[in-house]
Amino acid sequence: MLKTEHSAAAIRSVIVKTPAKINLFLAIRGKRADGMHELESVFLPLPDLCDTITVTPIHGREPEITCSHPQVPVDSSNLVYQAAIAFAEEAKIPPAWHIHIDKKIPVAAGLGGGSSDGAAVLNALEEITGITLGDSRRHQMARQLGADAPFFLNPLPSLARGIGDKLDPVTLNCSIPILLLNPGGLPVSAGWAYQRIRGSFDDLMEISSIPLLKAMWEGDLEKIARNTRTRFNEPLLQKIPLLQMFFDFLRNQDSMASHVSGSGPTVFAVFNSEEQAAAAALKAEKEFSGNVWTWHGAARASKNTANSLR
Ligand code: ATP
């Protein structure tokens, strides 16, 4: 959760910025009886790629949702709506809020946008109502919104286990220059991607996040890049052949590593410097004109991130 602002008016709004994430590491350890997968993942927030959520009290009995992005549903399927209903039920108050989402995080892209918005609303409603849920209840409620949502309650670089909801913050002692490439207009649902796993799990002894976590602690960018690894490159390449062109392009731009983030289809690349990432973004826009959305920036060292986060 980034930066919170208030208006002095009697009916005040709360405005929160809530970030995207990438998965620097994603291994699948098994499948549970309820159909969810057990993961080991390293989540990295991108504090400069954010949705902005404005929550304003209204008179009424239902949340009203608006969104700047025409493809995002504004009905009860929106995680922001579900967060508002859950909060109101818990607090025993009417869910009388207008919630506007200014969408900058690409939708159904493996960047966690919906979960980020939902978690941000839980935090914003605590602030606007003065009602505190408590850490454990807040985490449970976020978990009900989705497996990734608990991470966004306090989005720090983290090791995630369980279904992605058991979180331990980890230290990042350098910033990581990142370029994102998304094949615009080709959303992928997490459900589809997980179906492609078909019981092939990553062995704990062979594939571990420990070398990556050590490199993050050491602040060694080259080692960080070398130890990134995610799981969905292969099924996503079969579904979206354009991604192979992205990977080839990124290699030609001397990226240090590139992978699909989460369940895709956004590809992230680690670069030596933000300047290199910016230059590659410009080239990608020329090379894939009309077929790519780009973003470049950096995941910041934990110290900086922690200072700017709630
Ligand atoms: P997932 O891994 O859950 O698919 P994602 O990060 O890849 O997450 P999201 O941007 O969260 O993708 O969108 C997934 C779907 O969730 C969208 O297709 C949309 O219908 C629905 N959705 C519900 N609430 C939101 C929201 N606030 N923002 C974006 N999408 C939302």
Side-chain angles (χ1 to χ4, degrees):
M1 172 85 39
L2 303 168
K3 217 166 93 188
T4 304
E5 294 162 16
H6 303 270
S7 104
I11 298 183
R12 59 176 202 155
S13 296
V14 167
I15 303 172
V16 291
K17 280 179 172 265
T18 192
K21 60 84 185 157
I22 56 173
N23 303 78
L24 284 182
F25 180 94
L26 176 56
I28 300 182
R29 299 295 184 207
K31 194 171 179 182
R32 309 188 325 178
D34 65 3
M36 303 288 283
H37 287 83
E38 288 277 342
L39 312 179
E40 178 176 336
S41 187
V42 177
F43 282 21
L44 197 64
L46 300 177
D48 297 324
L49 175 57
C50 288
D51 287 348
T52 303
I53 310 269
T54 306
V55 183
T56 309
I58 53 170
H59 294 289
R61 293 169 173 273
E62 236 199 310
E64 285 173 11
I65 315 294
T66 52
C67 183
S68 61
H69 192 303
Q71 272 146 30
V72 173
V74 289
D75 57 12
S76 61
S77 67
N78 197 302
L79 294 183
V80 150
Y81 183 103
Q82 292 169 22
I85 295 287
F87 186 93
E89 278 172 5
E90 181 74 15
K92 300 189 173 48
I93 54 175
W97 300 288
H98 178 265
I99 304 173
H100 180 71
I101 309 165
D102 186 14
K103 199 90 197 144
K104 293 288 185 290
I105 304 172
V107 178
L111 299 172
S115 303
S116 186
D117 297 348
V121 164
L122 292 179
N123 283 335
L125 288 176
E126 285 196 52
E127 181 142 1
I128 210 164
T129 61
I131 296 168
T132 305
L133 295 170
D135 289 349
S136 153
R137 189 69 192 117
R138 189 185 305 114
H139 186 281
Q140 272 174 7
M141 287 169 67
R143 166 67 198 82
Q144 275 159 15
L145 295 176
D148 287 353
F151 165 74
F152 290 104
L153 291 170
N154 187 16
L156 298 168
S158 297
L159 173 63
R161 280 173 290 207
I163 57 169
D165 59 332
K166 295 197 176 106
L167 296 158
D168 289 300
V170 297
T171 304
L172 172 62
N173 273 321
C174 63
S175 78
I176 306 180
I178 298 285
L179 169 64
L180 301 180
L181 300 181
N182 179 281
L186 296 170
V188 168
S189 85
W192 176 90
Y194 276 94
Q195 275 169 22
R196 298 294 161 301
I197 297 301
R198 299 188 208 285
S200 123
F201 304 128
D202 299 306
D203 191 287
L204 193 60
M205 302 308 284
E206 286 169 18
I207 295 162
S208 161
S209 62
I210 291 172
L212 172 64
L213 298 177
K214 192 163 170 281
M216 289 168 71
W217 185 81
E218 289 166 352
D220 184 331
L221 187 59
E222 198 277 326
K223 238 196 239 177
I224 290 172
R226 195 162 8 103
N227 287 292
T228 54
R229 183 185 188 284
T230 69
R231 186 51 207 270
F232 290 104
N233 292 358
E234 205 184 301
L236 266 291
L237 275 170
Q238 282 167 17
K239 186 178 166 81
I240 307 176
L242 176 61
L243 296 190
Q244 186 59 56
M245 295 172 78
F246 286 0
F247 285 124
D248 294 343
F249 167 83
L250 289 164
R251 213 166 297 123
N252 289 336
Q253 304 309 309
D254 293 331
S255 79
M256 301 166 85
S258 55
H259 299 276
V260 162
S261 177
S263 54
T266 305
V267 169
F268 74 86
V270 176
F271 276 88
N272 239 316
S273 69
E274 284 194 55
E275 291 71 27
Q276 262 193 330
L282 267 180
K283 280 194 191 155
E285 274 159 24
K286 277 192 197 134
E287 187 142 339
F288 304 107
S289 58
N291 294 310
V292 72
W293 168 93
T294 70
W295 178 89
H296 60 89
R300 296 185 206 130
S302 310
K303 269 179 284 174
N304 299 343
T305 313
N307 289 341
S308 65
L309 295 170
R310 184 184 154 110

